[in-house]
Amino acid sequence: MSILDLYCSVDAFWQRFEPWWERELLASGRRRRRRATRLHPAVILTILILFQQSGYRTFKGFYTQQVQTTLRQEFPGLLSMASSYDQVGWPC
């Protein structure tokens, strides 16, 4: 599966999942302020799926050696390593 096919599948999933997720957060009372992100959630999920399939042991290694170098054309507007951790919600 190409990166474009993977992204399209993830984006289609996100379009169906996000409204349900928002309703669940409202119903449970766990909804919190969501900051605007520079990367679309489908891009973040696609990068995380690629990481899981890559064989890299750490996300930092994958992001700096693979995403920021060879996948930059597929994902314009990529973030720095620290910013990408903030987007995903992981501590640096």
Side-chain angles (χ1 to χ4, degrees):
M1 176 180 275
S2 73
I3 293 174
L4 181 59
D5 292 337
L6 175 62
Y7 173 78
C8 289
S9 296
V10 170
D11 189 51
F13 163 78
W14 183 255
Q15 296 299 321
R16 289 188 312 261
F17 176 75
E18 185 180 29
W20 174 85
W21 184 49
E22 289 291 333
R23 281 192 311 273
E24 287 296 313
L25 288 176
L26 286 173
S28 69
R30 294 186 325 197
R31 184 162 194 248
R32 296 186 180 163
R33 180 176 165 253
R34 287 186 31 212
R35 297 181 198 170
T37 59
R38 287 180 36 198
L39 289 178
H40 190 273
V43 172
I44 296 169
L45 290 171
T46 301
I47 291 172
L48 290 174
I49 291 169
L50 290 171
F51 165 62
Q52 289 296 314
Q53 295 175 343
S54 71
Y56 277 84
R57 294 183 66 133
T58 64
F59 182 74
K60 181 178 181 178
F62 171 73
Y63 195 83
T64 56
Q65 296 170 12
Q66 194 70 25
V67 175
Q68 289 186 324
T69 56
T70 60
L71 299 178
R72 186 167 282 288
Q73 292 177 346
E74 283 82 0
F75 302 111
L78 283 175
L79 307 170
S80 68
M81 189 67 224
S83 297
S84 66
Y85 276 169
D86 289 343
Q87 291 277 310
V88 175
W90 293 336
C92 286

